[in-house]
Amino acid sequence: MDVFALFSARVSNALQVLYPEVGPDLLARIVVEPPRDAAHGDLSTNAAMIVAKPLGKNPREVAGALVEHFQADHDVTSVEVAGPGFINFRLADPIWHQVLRSIGQQGESYGRSNLGQGAPVNIEYVSANPTGPMHVGHTRGAVFGDTLASLMAFSGYDVTREYYINDAGSQINTLARSTLLRYRQALGEIVEIPSGFYPGDYLVPVGQGLKEEFGTGLLEMPEAEALAIVKERVLVAMMELIKADLAKLGIHHDVFFSERQLHGPDGDIARTLAWLREQGMIYEGRLEPPKGKTPEDWEDREQTLFRATDYGDDTDRALIKSDGSYTYFAADIAYHRNKFLRGFKHMINVLGADHSGYVKRLQAATKAVSLNAADMDVRICQLVRLMKNGEPFKMSKRSGDLVTLADVVDEVGVDATRFMLLFRRNDAAMDFDFALVKEQTRDNPVFYVQYAHARAYSIFRNAEKEFPGLDFSPAALASADIERIVSAAELDLVRVLAAWPRTVAAAAVAHEPHRIAFYVHDLAAAFHGFWAKGKDDPQLRFVNAEDPTLTLARLALVDAVRQVIVNGLAILGVSAPEELS
RNA sequence: GGUCCCGUAGCUCAGUUGGAUAGAGCAGCAGCCUUCUAAGCUGUUGGUCGGAGGUUCGAGUCCUCCCGGGAUCGCCA
């Protein structure tokens, strides 16, 4: 149950009764939301102000009519006009009791919606180059993308989590050559790894594996042939490495899409370019050098260009390099046409800050290949600075080495890593302080939220001690005498719970998973706050030794809080422990 | 120079996609432990929302121009 949706419908109905001439486009602009200041009531709507002007009426006059209409609503204890024409509602207790019951009934589905109506959404995230283990720079995008995917799925979208493997570029050839050196080392040769090659130790076992598989065989064949074999083996090994890193964070993709499969004379790139030509989206021409910064080796030549400017980009884009091979972007156009042809009209790409210059191009490509039928939202994750006690921090043993994702997770754990990365808007740079993240105090939001969840369990344990015979099963809670929940403090807690479905929906629409993290933190604060009230006023304690009926009702409230925290943490991919040790 | 992101309390950040008198946490100050976990809570101090215009019933939010910080900038991936 979503009280805001409920009253949004009632307001729309009322308007249609009072002013039949109000159209659906106006109704769509009306919101029913919690007022910023709780003193104004439980719900507030801007309906009168939206509708007044088109009707040629005064907002307060329209508001007055609506107020009169809602006088008859038994779920409303007061309605009044405020300010320029807001209508504020105060709701009767039974509404909150219904909310509480519905949470018990819906359980882990509370907050789930059909917002997406089953529409397919492709969310591409991570897509780190398969040249080594994941470093910490990838972590934010990985966690963000994964959580956004969960959020969208929870909101009724048919989500595909996708990883694009950049396995076709020259860096992969370098990777293969680097691996070949490790192979020769495995055979006992003393080989230096020259600069420009991948020096990481993670290639050593791959070289070992090649020795075990081929003996000296690879040295006895032409180098090109050997490199082709090595490339296959090392790509598989690197992807295994990356998948293992992602698994550490609880991240699993549905589709791993290889760039290489797009190449070739009959591949998607060739077909897409042919198609773009038919559409007149390609031409041969020259590009202006970038203003203010002409590259030294700038070569003014005629080349094959995509009309990206027709779709909002700043300049047209090259598709074929001077050596005749396709540009990265050409492959990406083909890739996104492939996504579209697989049935995705909604696409989201999660990219790092260093790719912000790529956004317009990507959106232009998506519009072009879908003939404007698909939308592409690009979410940029800004940089994360690793800190320790306020000082910039590098964990690398050798200079130049990057801190790996695995290092971070091993150091602070999955829950803290995920939560901290989500407890911040994605488009703002953030500091990630190891000292704070590991701290088990209220300064640490992960801990604060998990503690609220553990506290709910603790209350149940104490209740069972106090009433050894009493039934605290879900069935018993469902039939608890919830009408006993009447204090302002309790009902305030229910109000927070009532905002959950609305919060989820808004976060899904905005593609902003951080809102879930903030909500869960707010809920934890409200719960801790109520718990502490039992100190000043023992009547407000959850467990009341003299009153098993009231205790049961309050435990239903505790259970609802527990449930919503669980649902929120589930979206975030953070565990909800029953006890903190 | 172009493009994108950020600028909100001393610090770290929210701000319900244009709503009412701009919020929270830390830090500071004042309190609360014979208590369902003090791993917590309550109260309080603190603001020309970077600046200037504009759009309208109404702007932290949208538009334009500046200032400051960051990212990025032909065929790399």
PDB file of all heavy atoms in Angstrom, chain B residues 60-72:
ATOM      1  P     G B  60      15.645  29.721  -3.991  1.00  0.00           P
ATOM      2  OP1   G B  60      14.544  29.137  -3.211  1.00  0.00           O
ATOM      3  OP2   G B  60      16.075  31.104  -3.685  1.00  0.00           O
ATOM      4  O5'   G B  60      16.922  28.772  -3.846  1.00  0.00           O
ATOM      5  C5'   G B  60      18.175  29.186  -4.336  1.00  0.00           C
ATOM      6  C4'   G B  60      19.041  28.001  -4.633  1.00  0.00           C
ATOM      7  O4'   G B  60      18.913  27.052  -3.558  1.00  0.00           O
ATOM      8  C3'   G B  60      18.642  27.223  -5.877  1.00  0.00           C
ATOM      9  O3'   G B  60      19.230  27.761  -7.034  1.00  0.00           O
ATOM     10  C2'   G B  60      19.167  25.817  -5.569  1.00  0.00           C
ATOM     11  O2'   G B  60      20.558  25.735  -5.836  1.00  0.00           O
ATOM     12  C1'   G B  60      18.951  25.730  -4.059  1.00  0.00           C
ATOM     13  N9    G B  60      17.706  25.046  -3.689  1.00  0.00           N
ATOM     14  C8    G B  60      16.606  25.600  -3.103  1.00  0.00           C
ATOM     15  N7    G B  60      15.642  24.735  -2.893  1.00  0.00           N
ATOM     16  C5    G B  60      16.141  23.543  -3.392  1.00  0.00           C
ATOM     17  C6    G B  60      15.558  22.255  -3.457  1.00  0.00           C
ATOM     18  O6    G B  60      14.445  21.900  -3.066  1.00  0.00           O
ATOM     19  N1    G B  60      16.410  21.336  -4.032  1.00  0.00           N
ATOM     20  C2    G B  60      17.666  21.608  -4.491  1.00  0.00           C
ATOM     21  N2    G B  60      18.325  20.592  -5.024  1.00  0.00           N
ATOM     22  N3    G B  60      18.232  22.817  -4.454  1.00  0.00           N
ATOM     23  C4    G B  60      17.413  23.716  -3.884  1.00  0.00           C
ATOM     24  P     U B  61      18.433  27.793  -8.405  1.00  0.00           P
ATOM     25  OP1   U B  61      19.390  28.219  -9.434  1.00  0.00           O
ATOM     26  OP2   U B  61      17.197  28.551  -8.167  1.00  0.00           O
ATOM     27  O5'   U B  61      18.025  26.276  -8.684  1.00  0.00           O
ATOM     28  C5'   U B  61      19.024  25.292  -8.955  1.00  0.00           C
ATOM     29  C4'   U B  61      18.382  23.945  -9.123  1.00  0.00           C
ATOM     30  O4'   U B  61      17.586  23.654  -7.937  1.00  0.00           O
ATOM     31  C3'   U B  61      17.441  23.827 -10.317  1.00  0.00           C
ATOM     32  O3'   U B  61      17.633  22.582 -10.968  1.00  0.00           O
ATOM     33  C2'   U B  61      16.052  23.915  -9.699  1.00  0.00           C
ATOM     34  O2'   U B  61      15.080  23.175 -10.407  1.00  0.00           O
ATOM     35  C1'   U B  61      16.280  23.305  -8.314  1.00  0.00           C
ATOM     36  N1    U B  61      15.349  23.842  -7.315  1.00  0.00           N
ATOM     37  C2    U B  61      14.431  22.969  -6.737  1.00  0.00           C
ATOM     38  O2    U B  61      14.384  21.791  -7.014  1.00  0.00           O
ATOM     39  N3    U B  61      13.584  23.543  -5.828  1.00  0.00           N
ATOM     40  C4    U B  61      13.557  24.872  -5.443  1.00  0.00           C
ATOM     41  O4    U B  61      12.734  25.224  -4.609  1.00  0.00           O
ATOM     42  C5    U B  61      14.535  25.694  -6.093  1.00  0.00           C
ATOM     43  C6    U B  61      15.374  25.169  -6.986  1.00  0.00           C
ATOM     44  P     C B  62      18.479  22.598 -12.328  1.00  0.00           P
ATOM     45  OP1   C B  62      18.620  21.191 -12.764  1.00  0.00           O
ATOM     46  OP2   C B  62      19.676  23.429 -12.133  1.00  0.00           O
ATOM     47  O5'   C B  62      17.510  23.354 -13.341  1.00  0.00           O
ATOM     48  C5'   C B  62      16.602  22.626 -14.162  1.00  0.00           C
ATOM     49  C4'   C B  62      15.936  23.555 -15.156  1.00  0.00           C
ATOM     50  O4'   C B  62      14.971  24.398 -14.459  1.00  0.00           O
ATOM     51  C3'   C B  62      16.871  24.551 -15.828  1.00  0.00           C
ATOM     52  O3'   C B  62      17.540  23.987 -16.943  1.00  0.00           O
ATOM     53  C2'   C B  62      15.909  25.658 -16.239  1.00  0.00           C
ATOM     54  O2'   C B  62      15.183  25.312 -17.400  1.00  0.00           O
ATOM     55  C1'   C B  62      14.943  25.683 -15.048  1.00  0.00           C
ATOM     56  N1    C B  62      15.322  26.674 -14.021  1.00  0.00           N
ATOM     57  C2    C B  62      15.151  28.035 -14.308  1.00  0.00           C
ATOM     58  O2    C B  62      14.701  28.359 -15.414  1.00  0.00           O
ATOM     59  N3    C B  62      15.482  28.950 -13.374  1.00  0.00           N
ATOM     60  C4    C B  62      15.982  28.554 -12.203  1.00  0.00           C
ATOM     61  N4    C B  62      16.296  29.499 -11.316  1.00  0.00           N
ATOM     62  C5    C B  62      16.161  27.182 -11.893  1.00  0.00           C
ATOM     63  C6    C B  62      15.828  26.285 -12.820  1.00  0.00           C
ATOM     64  P     C B  63      18.952  24.550 -17.417  1.00  0.00           P
ATOM     65  OP1   C B  63      19.487  23.649 -18.453  1.00  0.00           O
ATOM     66  OP2   C B  63      19.753  24.847 -16.209  1.00  0.00           O
ATOM     67  O5'   C B  63      18.548  25.933 -18.098  1.00  0.00           O
ATOM     68  C5'   C B  63      17.874  25.964 -19.347  1.00  0.00           C
ATOM     69  C4'   C B  63      17.861  27.371 -19.886  1.00  0.00           C
ATOM     70  O4'   C B  63      17.049  28.209 -19.029  1.00  0.00           O
ATOM     71  C3'   C B  63      19.221  28.065 -19.905  1.00  0.00           C
ATOM     72  O3'   C B  63      19.966  27.741 -21.065  1.00  0.00           O
ATOM     73  C2'   C B  63      18.839  29.538 -19.841  1.00  0.00           C
ATOM     74  O2'   C B  63      18.440  30.024 -21.106  1.00  0.00           O
ATOM     75  C1'   C B  63      17.618  29.500 -18.921  1.00  0.00           C
ATOM     76  N1    C B  63      17.973  29.733 -17.509  1.00  0.00           N
ATOM     77  C2    C B  63      18.157  31.051 -17.073  1.00  0.00           C
ATOM     78  O2    C B  63      18.023  31.975 -17.881  1.00  0.00           O
ATOM     79  N3    C B  63      18.476  31.281 -15.774  1.00  0.00           N
ATOM     80  C4    C B  63      18.607  30.251 -14.933  1.00  0.00           C
ATOM     81  N4    C B  63      18.923  30.525 -13.662  1.00  0.00           N
ATOM     82  C5    C B  63      18.423  28.902 -15.352  1.00  0.00           C
ATOM     83  C6    C B  63      18.107  28.690 -16.642  1.00  0.00           C
ATOM     84  P     U B  64      21.558  27.772 -20.993  1.00  0.00           P
ATOM     85  OP1   U B  64      22.069  27.208 -22.255  1.00  0.00           O
ATOM     86  OP2   U B  64      21.998  27.197 -19.694  1.00  0.00           O
ATOM     87  O5'   U B  64      21.854  29.334 -20.969  1.00  0.00           O
ATOM     88  C5'   U B  64      21.515  30.158 -22.085  1.00  0.00           C
ATOM     89  C4'   U B  64      21.930  31.575 -21.811  1.00  0.00           C
ATOM     90  O4'   U B  64      21.113  32.129 -20.745  1.00  0.00           O
ATOM     91  C3'   U B  64      23.353  31.754 -21.296  1.00  0.00           C
ATOM     92  O3'   U B  64      24.312  31.739 -22.349  1.00  0.00           O
ATOM     93  C2'   U B  64      23.278  33.099 -20.589  1.00  0.00           C
ATOM     94  O2'   U B  64      23.334  34.179 -21.503  1.00  0.00           O
ATOM     95  C1'   U B  64      21.880  33.037 -19.970  1.00  0.00           C
ATOM     96  N1    U B  64      21.911  32.553 -18.573  1.00  0.00           N
ATOM     97  C2    U B  64      22.179  33.483 -17.583  1.00  0.00           C
ATOM     98  O2    U B  64      22.402  34.655 -17.830  1.00  0.00           O
ATOM     99  N3    U B  64      22.190  32.985 -16.310  1.00  0.00           N
ATOM    100  C4    U B  64      21.969  31.676 -15.928  1.00  0.00           C
ATOM    101  O4    U B  64      22.012  31.380 -14.732  1.00  0.00           O
ATOM    102  C5    U B  64      21.688  30.784 -17.005  1.00  0.00           C
ATOM    103  C6    U B  64      21.673  31.237 -18.263  1.00  0.00           C
ATOM    104  P     C B  65      25.789  31.190 -22.032  1.00  0.00           P
ATOM    105  OP1   C B  65      26.496  31.049 -23.326  1.00  0.00           O
ATOM    106  OP2   C B  65      25.698  30.029 -21.109  1.00  0.00           O
ATOM    107  O5'   C B  65      26.422  32.417 -21.239  1.00  0.00           O
ATOM    108  C5'   C B  65      26.430  33.719 -21.811  1.00  0.00           C
ATOM    109  C4'   C B  65      26.917  34.714 -20.792  1.00  0.00           C
ATOM    110  O4'   C B  65      25.910  34.903 -19.758  1.00  0.00           O
ATOM    111  C3'   C B  65      28.148  34.278 -20.022  1.00  0.00           C
ATOM    112  O3'   C B  65      29.337  34.471 -20.766  1.00  0.00           O
ATOM    113  C2'   C B  65      28.060  35.147 -18.767  1.00  0.00           C
ATOM    114  O2'   C B  65      28.510  36.463 -19.006  1.00  0.00           O
ATOM    115  C1'   C B  65      26.551  35.154 -18.517  1.00  0.00           C
ATOM    116  N1    C B  65      26.152  34.117 -17.548  1.00  0.00           N
ATOM    117  C2    C B  65      26.183  34.412 -16.187  1.00  0.00           C
ATOM    118  O2    C B  65      26.548  35.540 -15.826  1.00  0.00           O
ATOM    119  N3    C B  65      25.839  33.464 -15.291  1.00  0.00           N
ATOM    120  C4    C B  65      25.454  32.249 -15.705  1.00  0.00           C
ATOM    121  N4    C B  65      25.126  31.349 -14.791  1.00  0.00           N
ATOM    122  C5    C B  65      25.411  31.912 -17.088  1.00  0.00           C
ATOM    123  C6    C B  65      25.768  32.874 -17.973  1.00  0.00           C
ATOM    124  P     C B  66      30.682  33.802 -20.272  1.00  0.00           P
ATOM    125  OP1   C B  66      31.668  33.840 -21.377  1.00  0.00           O
ATOM    126  OP2   C B  66      30.380  32.499 -19.601  1.00  0.00           O
ATOM    127  O5'   C B  66      31.113  34.855 -19.172  1.00  0.00           O
ATOM    128  C5'   C B  66      32.157  34.564 -18.292  1.00  0.00           C
ATOM    129  C4'   C B  66      32.030  35.411 -17.041  1.00  0.00           C
ATOM    130  O4'   C B  66      30.653  35.431 -16.592  1.00  0.00           O
ATOM    131  C3'   C B  66      32.805  34.837 -15.881  1.00  0.00           C
ATOM    132  O3'   C B  66      34.168  35.232 -15.937  1.00  0.00           O
ATOM    133  C2'   C B  66      32.052  35.373 -14.676  1.00  0.00           C
ATOM    134  O2'   C B  66      32.378  36.724 -14.417  1.00  0.00           O
ATOM    135  C1'   C B  66      30.606  35.290 -15.181  1.00  0.00           C
ATOM    136  N1    C B  66      29.971  33.985 -14.880  1.00  0.00           N
ATOM    137  C2    C B  66      29.734  33.593 -13.551  1.00  0.00           C
ATOM    138  O2    C B  66      30.080  34.349 -12.636  1.00  0.00           O
ATOM    139  N3    C B  66      29.165  32.398 -13.305  1.00  0.00           N
ATOM    140  C4    C B  66      28.808  31.604 -14.319  1.00  0.00           C
ATOM    141  N4    C B  66      28.236  30.441 -14.026  1.00  0.00           N
ATOM    142  C5    C B  66      29.023  31.972 -15.674  1.00  0.00           C
ATOM    143  C6    C B  66      29.604  33.153 -15.909  1.00  0.00           C
ATOM    144  P     C B  67      35.281  34.122 -15.912  1.00  0.00           P
ATOM    145  OP1   C B  67      36.520  34.730 -16.422  1.00  0.00           O
ATOM    146  OP2   C B  67      34.748  32.901 -16.546  1.00  0.00           O
ATOM    147  O5'   C B  67      35.435  33.878 -14.346  1.00  0.00           O
ATOM    148  C5'   C B  67      35.520  34.986 -13.455  1.00  0.00           C
ATOM    149  C4'   C B  67      35.406  34.519 -12.029  1.00  0.00           C
ATOM    150  O4'   C B  67      34.010  34.238 -11.720  1.00  0.00           O
ATOM    151  C3'   C B  67      36.105  33.209 -11.711  1.00  0.00           C
ATOM    152  O3'   C B  67      37.493  33.378 -11.489  1.00  0.00           O
ATOM    153  C2'   C B  67      35.366  32.750 -10.466  1.00  0.00           C
ATOM    154  O2'   C B  67      35.809  33.449  -9.319  1.00  0.00           O
ATOM    155  C1'   C B  67      33.936  33.163 -10.804  1.00  0.00           C
ATOM    156  N1    C B  67      33.171  32.062 -11.424  1.00  0.00           N
ATOM    157  C2    C B  67      32.690  31.022 -10.601  1.00  0.00           C
ATOM    158  O2    C B  67      32.925  31.065  -9.388  1.00  0.00           O
ATOM    159  N3    C B  67      31.994  30.011 -11.153  1.00  0.00           N
ATOM    160  C4    C B  67      31.772  30.004 -12.470  1.00  0.00           C
ATOM    161  N4    C B  67      31.081  28.976 -12.974  1.00  0.00           N
ATOM    162  C5    C B  67      32.249  31.030 -13.324  1.00  0.00           C
ATOM    163  C6    C B  67      32.939  32.033 -12.766  1.00  0.00           C
ATOM    164  P     G B  68      38.524  32.222 -11.919  1.00  0.00           P
ATOM    165  OP1   G B  68      39.904  32.755 -11.730  1.00  0.00           O
ATOM    166  OP2   G B  68      38.107  31.720 -13.244  1.00  0.00           O
ATOM    167  O5'   G B  68      38.263  31.099 -10.832  1.00  0.00           O
ATOM    168  C5'   G B  68      38.721  31.269  -9.502  1.00  0.00           C
ATOM    169  C4'   G B  68      38.187  30.178  -8.618  1.00  0.00           C
ATOM    170  O4'   G B  68      36.736  30.175  -8.665  1.00  0.00           O
ATOM    171  C3'   G B  68      38.551  28.758  -9.016  1.00  0.00           C
ATOM    172  O3'   G B  68      39.860  28.389  -8.614  1.00  0.00           O
ATOM    173  C2'   G B  68      37.473  27.949  -8.316  1.00  0.00           C
ATOM    174  O2'   G B  68      37.730  27.827  -6.935  1.00  0.00           O
ATOM    175  C1'   G B  68      36.255  28.850  -8.529  1.00  0.00           C
ATOM    176  N9    G B  68      35.518  28.469  -9.739  1.00  0.00           N
ATOM    177  C8    G B  68      35.471  29.137 -10.949  1.00  0.00           C
ATOM    178  N7    G B  68      34.723  28.538 -11.840  1.00  0.00           N
ATOM    179  C5    G B  68      34.247  27.401 -11.178  1.00  0.00           C
ATOM    180  C6    G B  68      33.389  26.370 -11.629  1.00  0.00           C
ATOM    181  O6    G B  68      32.866  26.245 -12.743  1.00  0.00           O
ATOM    182  N1    G B  68      33.162  25.412 -10.632  1.00  0.00           N
ATOM    183  C2    G B  68      33.696  25.457  -9.373  1.00  0.00           C
ATOM    184  N2    G B  68      33.380  24.456  -8.562  1.00  0.00           N
ATOM    185  N3    G B  68      34.498  26.420  -8.937  1.00  0.00           N
ATOM    186  C4    G B  68      34.727  27.349  -9.885  1.00  0.00           C
ATOM    187  P     G B  69      40.677  27.316  -9.482  1.00  0.00           P
ATOM    188  OP1   G B  69      42.069  27.316  -8.965  1.00  0.00           O
ATOM    189  OP2   G B  69      40.416  27.589 -10.908  1.00  0.00           O
ATOM    190  O5'   G B  69      39.996  25.932  -9.087  1.00  0.00           O
ATOM    191  C5'   G B  69      40.228  25.357  -7.808  1.00  0.00           C
ATOM    192  C4'   G B  69      39.444  24.077  -7.650  1.00  0.00           C
ATOM    193  O4'   G B  69      38.021  24.346  -7.808  1.00  0.00           O
ATOM    194  C3'   G B  69      39.704  23.004  -8.697  1.00  0.00           C
ATOM    195  O3'   G B  69      40.895  22.267  -8.462  1.00  0.00           O
ATOM    196  C2'   G B  69      38.457  22.143  -8.576  1.00  0.00           C
ATOM    197  O2'   G B  69      38.506  21.326  -7.422  1.00  0.00           O
ATOM    198  C1'   G B  69      37.384  23.216  -8.378  1.00  0.00           C
ATOM    199  N9    G B  69      36.792  23.600  -9.673  1.00  0.00           N
ATOM    200  C8    G B  69      37.023  24.741 -10.403  1.00  0.00           C
ATOM    201  N7    G B  69      36.340  24.767 -11.529  1.00  0.00           N
ATOM    202  C5    G B  69      35.637  23.571 -11.535  1.00  0.00           C
ATOM    203  C6    G B  69      34.737  23.037 -12.486  1.00  0.00           C
ATOM    204  O6    G B  69      34.366  23.533 -13.561  1.00  0.00           O
ATOM    205  N1    G B  69      34.246  21.789 -12.099  1.00  0.00           N
ATOM    206  C2    G B  69      34.594  21.147 -10.946  1.00  0.00           C
ATOM    207  N2    G B  69      34.022  19.944 -10.745  1.00  0.00           N
ATOM    208  N3    G B  69      35.423  21.624 -10.041  1.00  0.00           N
ATOM    209  C4    G B  69      35.905  22.839 -10.400  1.00  0.00           C
ATOM    210  P     G B  70      41.676  21.654  -9.716  1.00  0.00           P
ATOM    211  OP1   G B  70      42.942  21.082  -9.198  1.00  0.00           O
ATOM    212  OP2   G B  70      41.700  22.658 -10.801  1.00  0.00           O
ATOM    213  O5'   G B  70      40.733  20.456 -10.187  1.00  0.00           O
ATOM    214  C5'   G B  70      40.620  19.283  -9.396  1.00  0.00           C
ATOM    215  C4'   G B  70      39.552  18.370  -9.950  1.00  0.00           C
ATOM    216  O4'   G B  70      38.304  19.099 -10.112  1.00  0.00           O
ATOM    217  C3'   G B  70      39.797  17.798 -11.342  1.00  0.00           C
ATOM    218  O3'   G B  70      40.710  16.712 -11.335  1.00  0.00           O
ATOM    219  C2'   G B  70      38.397  17.368 -11.742  1.00  0.00           C
ATOM    220  O2'   G B  70      38.033  16.172 -11.084  1.00  0.00           O
ATOM    221  C1'   G B  70      37.561  18.517 -11.176  1.00  0.00           C
ATOM    222  N9    G B  70      37.304  19.535 -12.210  1.00  0.00           N
ATOM    223  C8    G B  70      37.872  20.779 -12.337  1.00  0.00           C
ATOM    224  N7    G B  70      37.426  21.429 -13.377  1.00  0.00           N
ATOM    225  C5    G B  70      36.508  20.579 -13.969  1.00  0.00           C
ATOM    226  C6    G B  70      35.691  20.736 -15.118  1.00  0.00           C
ATOM    227  O6    G B  70      35.623  21.702 -15.886  1.00  0.00           O
ATOM    228  N1    G B  70      34.905  19.608 -15.364  1.00  0.00           N
ATOM    229  C2    G B  70      34.905  18.475 -14.583  1.00  0.00           C
ATOM    230  N2    G B  70      34.087  17.492 -14.976  1.00  0.00           N
ATOM    231  N3    G B  70      35.655  18.313 -13.504  1.00  0.00           N
ATOM    232  C4    G B  70      36.423  19.402 -13.254  1.00  0.00           C
ATOM    233  P     A B  71      41.519  16.366 -12.678  1.00  0.00           P
ATOM    234  OP1   A B  71      42.472  15.291 -12.325  1.00  0.00           O
ATOM    235  OP2   A B  71      42.000  17.621 -13.285  1.00  0.00           O
ATOM    236  O5'   A B  71      40.397  15.767 -13.632  1.00  0.00           O
ATOM    237  C5'   A B  71      39.882  14.463 -13.380  1.00  0.00           C
ATOM    238  C4'   A B  71      38.804  14.142 -14.386  1.00  0.00           C
ATOM    239  O4'   A B  71      37.786  15.181 -14.349  1.00  0.00           O
ATOM    240  C3'   A B  71      39.256  14.135 -15.842  1.00  0.00           C
ATOM    241  O3'   A B  71      39.894  12.924 -16.206  1.00  0.00           O
ATOM    242  C2'   A B  71      37.931  14.343 -16.564  1.00  0.00           C
ATOM    243  O2'   A B  71      37.155  13.155 -16.577  1.00  0.00           O
ATOM    244  C1'   A B  71      37.247  15.358 -15.647  1.00  0.00           C
ATOM    245  N9    A B  71      37.516  16.736 -16.081  1.00  0.00           N
ATOM    246  C8    A B  71      38.425  17.636 -15.591  1.00  0.00           C
ATOM    247  N7    A B  71      38.411  18.800 -16.208  1.00  0.00           N
ATOM    248  C5    A B  71      37.434  18.650 -17.171  1.00  0.00           C
ATOM    249  C6    A B  71      36.927  19.518 -18.155  1.00  0.00           C
ATOM    250  N6    A B  71      37.364  20.757 -18.343  1.00  0.00           N
ATOM    251  N1    A B  71      35.942  19.050 -18.962  1.00  0.00           N
ATOM    252  C2    A B  71      35.496  17.801 -18.782  1.00  0.00           C
ATOM    253  N3    A B  71      35.887  16.887 -17.894  1.00  0.00           N
ATOM    254  C4    A B  71      36.870  17.383 -17.106  1.00  0.00           C
ATOM    255  P     U B  72      41.060  12.945 -17.273  1.00  0.00           P
ATOM    256  OP1   U B  72      41.595  11.574 -17.354  1.00  0.00           O
ATOM    257  OP2   U B  72      41.970  14.081 -16.977  1.00  0.00           O
ATOM    258  O5'   U B  72      40.282  13.276 -18.622  1.00  0.00           O
ATOM    259  C5'   U B  72      39.347  12.337 -19.155  1.00  0.00           C
ATOM    260  C4'   U B  72      38.547  12.978 -20.261  1.00  0.00           C
ATOM    261  O4'   U B  72      37.885  14.166 -19.749  1.00  0.00           O
ATOM    262  C3'   U B  72      39.367  13.509 -21.426  1.00  0.00           C
ATOM    263  O3'   U B  72      39.705  12.491 -22.352  1.00  0.00           O
ATOM    264  C2'   U B  72      38.405  14.534 -22.034  1.00  0.00           C
ATOM    265  O2'   U B  72      37.375  13.891 -22.759  1.00  0.00           O
ATOM    266  C1'   U B  72      37.792  15.141 -20.772  1.00  0.00           C
ATOM    267  N1    U B  72      38.508  16.359 -20.338  1.00  0.00           N
ATOM    268  C2    U B  72      38.184  17.538 -20.981  1.00  0.00           C
ATOM    269  O2    U B  72      37.354  17.596 -21.869  1.00  0.00           O
ATOM    270  N3    U B  72      38.863  18.639 -20.552  1.00  0.00           N
ATOM    271  C4    U B  72      39.812  18.685 -19.560  1.00  0.00           C
ATOM    272  O4    U B  72      40.336  19.775 -19.282  1.00  0.00           O
ATOM    273  C5    U B  72      40.103  17.425 -18.938  1.00  0.00           C
ATOM    274  C6    U B  72      39.457  16.334 -19.336  1.00  0.00           C
TER     275        U B  72
END
